[in-house]
Amino acid sequence: RLPDANDGIRTGVAVVTGCGSGLGHALAIEMASRGIQVVGFSRSAANFQSAGDLVASGRLVPMVVDVADDDAVKSAFARIRAEIGDVT
């Protein structure tokens, strides 16, 4: 069972990597549609076009991050904590 906002993660942020396609993309969209605040990492902003409504609502925050780049990941998490909140 996937978590939803009733599972106690309403106040935090979930980070999902690989949001460009496949399982990561589907998971980010499903979690955001269940009310969870999701930051999705992908190497291209174009990969979030199909999730326009969730992005517009603020439930899914797209971030262009190459997870193979340690400095980019550290910078992304610092930005998430500063602008959105703690990652749960």
Side-chain angles (χ1 to χ4, degrees):
R1 170 173 104 67
L2 286 173
D4 60 31
N6 295 321
D7 289 326
I9 55 176
R10 283 179 233 165
T11 59
V13 178
V15 174
V16 178
T17 63
C19 288
S21 63
L23 185 59
H25 185 78
L27 183 62
I29 289 172
E30 183 65 25
M31 290 176 73
S33 63
R34 290 173 181 245
I36 297 169
Q37 175 69 58
V38 177
V39 175
F41 287 1
S42 177
R43 288 182 285 171
S44 171
N47 294 326
F48 293 98
Q49 290 178 352
S50 66
D53 290 344
L54 291 170
V55 172
S57 73
R59 274 289 170 221
L60 175 57
V61 178
M63 290 186 82
V64 177
V65 180
D66 182 353
V67 297
D69 180 342
D70 289 343
D71 290 334
V73 172
K74 289 175 187 174
S75 177
F77 274 90
R79 183 175 162 207
I80 292 166
R81 282 190 294 278
E83 297 178 13
I84 300 170
D86 290 331
V87 176
T88 53

